[in-house]
Amino acid sequence: MINVLIVDDEYHIREGINDSIPWKQLDLHSVGTAVSGLDAWNKVKIQKISIVILDINMPDMDGLELAQRLRVENKNMQFIFLTGYDDFPKVKKAIELGASDYLLKPVSYEELCTALEKAAESVREQEHSKKYIEVLEGKILESVEITADIIWTELLHRQRSYLECVKSLSEIGMEFTLNNSYTVISVSIDHYSRLLERWDVQDCKLNSYALSKLANEVIDLFANGVVIKGQPGYLTLIVTSGYKPDARRSKTVLNHIVKEFQYKCLDYYNLSTSIGVSDIHENPDDIHKAYQESMQALEYKSVLGEKSIIYFELIEPKAAAVKQVLNKELYLLSELRLGNEVAVDDILNKIIIELQGRSIGDGKIISTQLMIYAIRLIAENELEKADIFKEDPFAQIYNAETVADVMAVITGFFHQIIQEIKKQHRLGNPNVIEDAKQWIREHISEDISLNKLANYVHMSPNYFSALFKQATGETFMEFSTRTRFELAKQLLIQPEIKIFQIAEKIGYADANYFSIAFKKNEGMTPSQYRARYL
């Protein structure tokens, strides 16, 4: 709807116009009247007004001065001037201000309606043109962004050099320069194939745009860079800073960027992401190499699981000596599986001795590889990750400054695994199953679940479920159901207890649902069962 304001210092004129014009018929809306130029100025500042009917001659601020001010604020606003006499200089000024019409008082109803229709048509034409221009500009911008993505992707895949890339970007109006160092970061949306099952094409575009915008915002907080959309489900970030590759600040900045981006993806859009981070490079022609490093790091997502942040420098053994130390991993893992804390500490101490005098890089690579082996063990044994990954060990290793710091991280990580394995070793204690049965009996009136019981016995739900079936011959659900109805039958032979009370005692909030379930399991209703014993 197009808003219209009426400005005149004469009450009868402004109110007469406001009351006589058929606003709905003209598809217009009157926002009311103003008694002076100053009054109108204040109202326009707080409302969206497209057409102003105004008297030229008013105290304080006349119509021409008001129109001049409004024209500065809104070049498309339409003015219909009213005056009591034909004053050529003022008519000339009104024309210069782009008056839609200039009417002499007394104004006829037909004249004013015609003037309003003309002004409204101008407003609609301008709005249509504005929308068309916005759509056109949007398409041009989208085309530029798509072209830029293609240029960057060709650079990542070594189909053009860095200098050729910069030149091509400049030709489409985009400027980019690498500073002292740069890093390539590859981002993968976790479970993307599942998301595609419920996303349509528009959802994919919106999420791609949202994540790209978020990545740019996060980069801008800490450094400079560019975001490349590339293949569906992935983003590539090239982050550049003024720090030298070996500067500690370089790694700190990268750590902040990947953590902040991963956190905001989950917080803002409920999207889990995994991230691979290349080494820090200086030579612009190594961007292809850096991209490969980030993708190789991202491949470890299959081992480490979703929400992983993997640094290439932590996963690539570069020296024979490092590989020699890693040969002890089989012995280490066998002792770790047994939960043998003394033996694990002994092996780790030997590794520490062998690493004395070696570089911090060697220490980080060895520790990361050992952690990756251990994470496979965690998955095999279905250990509780939440209790082990209280802090991100990969980030701790990445930020460590000495070999001793690195080995302290890995030792603490292995000790946490050992504690989880010791909890799981309660499997060898027959009391575990009896404890579980007793817990079910004690909580039979509550909303019990396999997850709650597994948490009570410190085991994973899947592992405990298999163990329970093996030990009892029944599933958790079968045992729970049988226990409920055995207790129900004991209570039903006590006439003083109401059936709805029995239902509550065995975990059914609805007595009717209890009756249906009882009949399904016992072949008769609770009332029929009670009648047999009374």
Side-chain angles (χ1 to χ4, degrees):
M1 191 71 75
I2 297 173
N3 290 335
V4 182
L5 176 67
I6 304 160
V7 189
D8 200 302
D9 60 331
E10 295 183 51
Y11 174 82
H12 296 292
I13 293 177
R14 64 176 182 269
E15 296 303 328
I17 292 173
N18 195 38
D19 293 340
S20 64
I21 297 298
W23 300 108
K24 287 186 179 178
Q25 185 179 327
L26 296 175
D27 198 21
L28 299 173
H29 174 249
S30 171
V31 297
T33 63
V35 301
S36 67
L38 188 59
D39 184 24
W41 174 252
N42 291 330
K43 288 182 176 177
V44 169
K45 287 195 293 186
I46 60 174
Q47 298 180 81
K48 183 183 178 183
I49 294 170
S50 300
I51 301 173
V52 181
I53 302 171
L54 70 167
D55 186 12
I56 285 186
N57 297 295
M58 293 184 294
D60 298 329
M61 183 191 300
D62 67 21
L64 293 174
E65 184 183 350
L66 172 63
Q68 198 165 6
R69 286 194 185 187
L70 293 176
R71 177 63 72 219
V72 174
E73 297 294 320
N74 182 354
K75 65 180 181 179
N76 295 322
M77 189 175 286
Q78 300 296 304
F79 302 116
I80 300 174
F81 287 100
L82 308 178
T83 185
Y85 53 90
D86 195 357
D87 186 340
F88 180 75
K90 290 187 176 180
V91 172
K92 182 181 177 185
K93 182 67 175 176
I95 293 172
E96 290 173 357
L97 289 169
S100 175
D101 245 314
Y102 185 93
L103 305 177
L104 291 174
K105 294 180 181 179
V107 181
S108 71
Y109 170 84
E110 291 77 11
E111 276 185 317
L112 191 51
C113 285
T114 300
L116 283 167
E117 287 177 332
K118 177 184 172 185
E121 183 62 26
S122 294
V123 171
R124 293 188 184 102
E125 287 178 358
Q126 289 165 358
E127 288 181 349
H128 178 75
S129 298
K130 182 181 177 183
K131 288 179 181 176
Y132 176 76
I133 291 170
E134 287 175 351
V135 169
L136 191 60
E137 288 176 343
K139 287 183 177 179
I140 292 171
L141 179 60
E142 184 179 2
S143 175
V144 168
E145 289 176 350
I146 291 171
T147 303
D149 269 349
I150 292 171
I151 293 170
W152 282 115
T153 301
E154 289 176 350
L155 173 65
L156 295 177
H157 293 278
R158 212 189 299 181
Q159 294 173 346
R160 66 171 74 209
S161 69
Y162 171 71
L163 290 178
E164 289 172 339
C165 174
V166 170
K167 181 181 177 183
S168 297
L169 289 170
S170 179
E171 289 171 354
I172 60 171
M174 299 184 72
E175 302 296 331
F176 183 79
T177 304
L178 291 175
N179 295 323
N180 288 337
S181 62
Y182 68 90
T183 303
V184 176
I185 299 170
S186 291
V187 179
S188 166
I189 300 175
D190 295 331
H191 309 299
Y192 187 69
S193 58
R194 291 187 208 168
L195 294 173
L196 288 179
E197 293 174 5
R198 65 173 193 264
W199 284 358
D200 58 21
V201 174
Q202 188 62 21
D203 290 330
C204 291
K205 286 183 177 180
L206 287 173
N207 280 286
S208 176
Y209 170 78
L211 291 189
S212 178
K213 186 173 184 296
L214 178 61
N216 275 307
E217 290 173 356
V218 171
I219 290 172
D220 288 345
L221 289 175
F222 303 99
N224 298 310
V226 65
V227 178
I228 307 154
K229 289 194 267 294
Q231 61 180 309
Y234 288 85
L235 283 180
T236 304
L237 287 59
I238 301 177
V239 178
T240 181
S241 73
Y243 303 107
K244 289 289 185 181
D246 56 355
R248 178 168 174 75
R249 182 64 179 163
S250 291
K251 294 184 177 181
T252 303
V253 165
L254 285 175
N255 204 23
H256 284 323
I257 288 173
V258 293
K259 281 183 170 293
E260 185 78 4
F261 178 71
Q262 190 180 63
Y263 168 77
K264 287 186 174 178
C265 283
L266 199 58
D267 188 44
Y268 292 0
Y269 306 113
N270 196 30
L271 288 176
S272 167
T273 55
S274 295
I275 300 173
V277 185
S278 78
D279 282 345
I280 301 173
H281 292 264
E282 288 182 289
N283 187 345
D285 291 326
D286 286 339
I287 285 184
H288 166 68
K289 178 183 177 184
Y291 173 67
Q292 287 185 318
E293 291 173 354
S294 69
M295 291 301 291
Q296 286 176 33
L298 192 55
E299 287 176 4
Y300 276 77
K301 167 186 171 180
S302 61
V303 178
L304 304 178
E306 62 184 45
K307 301 178 189 175
S308 302
I309 297 175
I310 311 113
Y311 297 90
F312 181 76
E313 75 167 58
L314 302 183
I315 63 167
E316 186 64 14
K318 298 179 177 67
V322 172
K323 295 177 182 178
Q324 184 179 351
V325 173
L326 287 173
N327 288 334
K328 293 182 172 59
E329 58 95 3
L330 292 176
Y331 179 37
L332 177 64
L333 289 183
S334 66
E335 297 298 338
L336 189 61
R337 281 191 180 90
L338 297 172
N340 190 339
E341 193 167 358
V342 174
V344 167
D345 281 342
D346 182 57
I347 297 169
L348 289 175
N349 286 332
K350 288 177 180 177
I351 291 175
I352 291 172
I353 292 170
E354 291 189 34
L355 282 175
Q356 286 179 356
R358 299 197 182 278
S359 70
I360 178 70
D362 287 350
K364 288 183 176 183
I365 290 169
I366 288 169
S367 295
T368 303
Q369 291 293 335
L370 291 176
M371 272 206 300
I372 290 170
Y373 298 142
I375 287 170
R376 288 180 180 146
L377 184 148
I378 291 170
E380 290 169 8
N381 289 271
E382 297 186 340
L383 299 178
E384 289 294 340
K385 290 184 179 180
D387 292 331
I388 298 171
F389 289 93
K390 292 176 181 176
E391 293 185 50
D392 182 356
F394 291 99
Q396 289 179 300
I397 289 175
Y398 187 72
N399 293 318
E401 296 184 350
T402 66
V403 172
D405 292 339
V406 171
M407 295 311 297
V409 173
I410 199 69
T411 301
F413 182 71
F414 274 41
H415 282 179
Q416 287 174 312
I417 295 175
I418 289 169
Q419 295 310 309
E420 284 303 306
I421 289 174
K422 285 182 176 179
K423 283 183 185 178
Q424 202 177 73
H425 281 178
R426 291 181 63 188
L427 294 176
N429 182 356
N431 291 333
V432 171
I433 300 301
E434 290 306 316
D435 287 348
K437 288 181 178 179
Q438 186 60 30
W439 184 90
I440 292 171
R441 296 185 189 103
E442 291 173 357
H443 295 81
I444 203 69
S445 64
E446 303 171 12
D447 181 21
I448 60 176
S449 68
L450 177 61
N451 284 341
K452 289 180 180 178
L453 180 52
N455 185 58
Y456 171 72
V457 295
H458 304 294
M459 297 178 194
S460 72
N462 290 340
Y463 198 95
F464 173 74
S465 178
L467 175 72
F468 190 91
K469 177 71 181 293
Q470 183 181 9
T472 66
E474 295 177 292
T475 66
F476 160 79
M477 185 59 68
E478 289 168 346
F479 179 85
S480 300
T481 302
R482 182 169 62 80
T483 302
R484 288 183 196 279
F485 290 115
E486 284 178 355
L487 177 59
K489 288 188 285 187
Q490 293 173 21
L491 297 174
L492 281 168
I493 63 177
Q494 302 178 46
E496 69 274 16
I497 305 178
K498 306 292 184 184
I499 288 179
F500 78 87
Q501 293 173 324
I502 295 172
E504 291 176 352
K505 287 179 181 294
I506 67 166
Y508 286 89
D510 187 329
N512 290 329
Y513 185 73
F514 161 63
S515 296
I516 294 169
F518 188 92
K519 184 175 181 180
K520 181 178 179 181
N521 279 272
E522 302 297 329
M524 65 185 74
T525 67
S527 298
Q528 291 170 336
Y529 185 90
R530 171 170 274 177
R532 291 176 58 182
Y533 293 91
L534 297 179

